[in-house]
Amino acid sequence: MATPTNTTLTVLLGEYGFTHRSLADEVDRVSGRIFGRPGAATDRDVRRWISGTVRWPTGRYLLPLAEIFDRPPEAMGFVPRGRTSRLPAPPSSVRPGQEEPVKRRAFLTASTAATLTLALRLEETPVRGRLTMADIDRMTTTIGRLDAHFTAIGGGALPTVATTYIDRLRETADYYTYGPRVEQALHRALSGLHSSAGWAAYDSGDNATSRLHHAAALQSGVLAKDGHAQARAWSDLSLQYRAEGRHREALTINRAALQTRHARQDPRIAALLHSRLGDHSACARALLAAQKAHDRFDTTARPPPWLRFLDAAEIAGLAAIAHRATGRLPDAEKATAQALHLLGPSTHRNRAYYGIQLAQLQLAQGDTTSAKATAATVDTAAVSSPRIAQRLATVHRHLATAQETP
């Protein structure tokens, strides 16, 4: 059986402008700083990573690669040797503050909450003294890494890690001194962190905790006087309620959020809210409005970190969820297939999520043959999501039952 090529790493080399030789040189440079001695990577090593001959490099290479590309190993196309592969922490001689000020060590995937906490460097969050906007920027960067981890491979140990970080920031809020501007920024950061924690909890199958986090995100957004944070929280609550089958509440929340000034002025928020509307009587109009809002995106300006996931693939995926909620299964199947076609190579969680959804839709329409073929293509090796694993197991169980039925 041929070893699959690491196409994700190939794409990253192109995006960052690396040749095989220049990437090896950069790995050696970063390795020297992390481990205190020069690295030994060559262009041959890079070719072996790309060809798939080496599917999980040693920590001496993996830690530098994670820093260079600022993402967890699975999001670079690497596959753990077993169910999980624990990354070693950098040597204890490497202390916070010794790294380059602009490019910090990436948020690294790990098999335990303790290692994830180390990777997020929660211990660097101050709890005494005077809080500045520079401190807020560091918090925001940390939350962005948490979001990137979730988008790439799923929740995994993130609920515990996010809750730990929330407690840390609450302690910061209690014991620090700061002015009104910093206070609002701190509440904005807490709102984003609660939103991230909410989706991590949902991914782990804990709906009650997820709902509490989304409500807390809304409260922090109000305290921050930040319309974007509030729109995000309303949108998350709407999708949460719909996932729980509470469609009327979801619709009421989403309609109210669409009337806010930020939804009217920011096409990204408008696209997000319209695509999550799920109104039986106006589904087509809502999805058309979402597509029109997407067409108005300012591609020259970087969106907020939490909205970077909202691309053409996600719009198609959200449309599929809306179609499914309103009973339009053929339309949902078509939109799900489109989302899978548009997804980037590093979005392992979403690819597995929509792959399973496609199989479920095919099963619901009685197309067992297509559902079986689709389920066979779902790859969860690089995904850490109890909810996704449970959904895939359910699909396989239904397929087995369907095959046994005469």
Side-chain angles (χ1 to χ4, degrees), residues 5-33:
T5 302
N6 188 341
T7 56
T8 302
L9 187 60
T10 302
V11 170
L12 286 173
L13 260 71
E15 289 180 357
Y16 282 71
F18 282 119
T19 63
H20 294 176
R21 179 65 263 170
S22 64
L23 178 60
D25 290 342
E26 183 67 5
V27 167
D28 288 341
R29 186 188 68 79
V30 176
S31 179
R33 178 168 53 78

Side-chain angles (χ1 to χ4, degrees), residues 85-106:
S85 284
R86 184 180 181 128
L87 273 173
S92 57
S93 58
V94 180
R95 301 296 181 188
Q98 289 182 332
E99 296 169 284
E100 295 178 19
V102 176
K103 193 163 210 172
R104 293 179 172 273
R105 184 166 60 86

Side-chain angles (χ1 to χ4, degrees), residues 103-161:
K103 193 163 210 172
R104 293 179 172 273
R105 184 166 60 86
F107 174 69
L108 305 176
T109 301
S111 59
T112 66
T115 307
L116 277 177
T117 300
L118 174 65
L120 278 169
R121 293 167 54 200
L122 304 190
E123 74 282 354
E124 292 185 29
T125 305
V127 293
R128 295 289 190 281
R130 182 167 184 81
L131 198 67
T132 68
M133 287 303 296
D135 295 313
I136 300 294
D137 289 342
R138 282 192 290 272
M139 295 173 191
T140 303
T141 298
T142 296
I143 296 168
R145 286 175 176 162
L146 191 151
D147 287 336
H149 178 95
F150 176 81
T151 300
I153 69 171
L158 286 183
T160 300
V161 174

Side-chain angles (χ1 to χ4, degrees), residues 25 34 57 59 79 132 142 146 153 199 211 239 292 307 313 339:
D25 290 342
I34 292 176
V79 180
T132 68
T142 296
L146 191 151
I153 69 171
W199 285 117
R211 201 181 313 116
L239 199 60
K292 287 182 177 179
L307 266 177

Side-chain angles (χ1 to χ4, degrees), residues 250-332:
L251 181 59
T252 300
I253 288 173
N254 218 315
R255 282 175 172 169
L258 278 167
Q259 299 305 312
T260 63
R261 176 174 61 85
H262 282 83
R264 294 194 301 269
Q265 295 180 351
D266 190 325
R268 292 184 186 274
I269 292 179
L272 180 66
L273 292 170
H274 278 298
S275 59
R276 290 180 172 179
L277 194 56
D279 185 352
H280 284 68
S281 63
C283 184
R285 290 198 303 274
L287 294 176
L288 178 60
Q291 185 59 56
K292 287 182 177 179
H294 177 266
D295 293 341
R296 299 200 311 272
F297 284 7
D298 181 2
T299 56
T300 63
R302 285 180 66 82
W306 71 271
L307 266 177
R308 288 174 191 166
F309 76 97
L310 191 63
D311 53 15
E314 189 65 19
I315 292 291
L318 292 170
I321 294 172
H323 282 310
R324 187 181 186 182
T326 55
R328 295 174 171 86
L329 300 187
D331 290 336

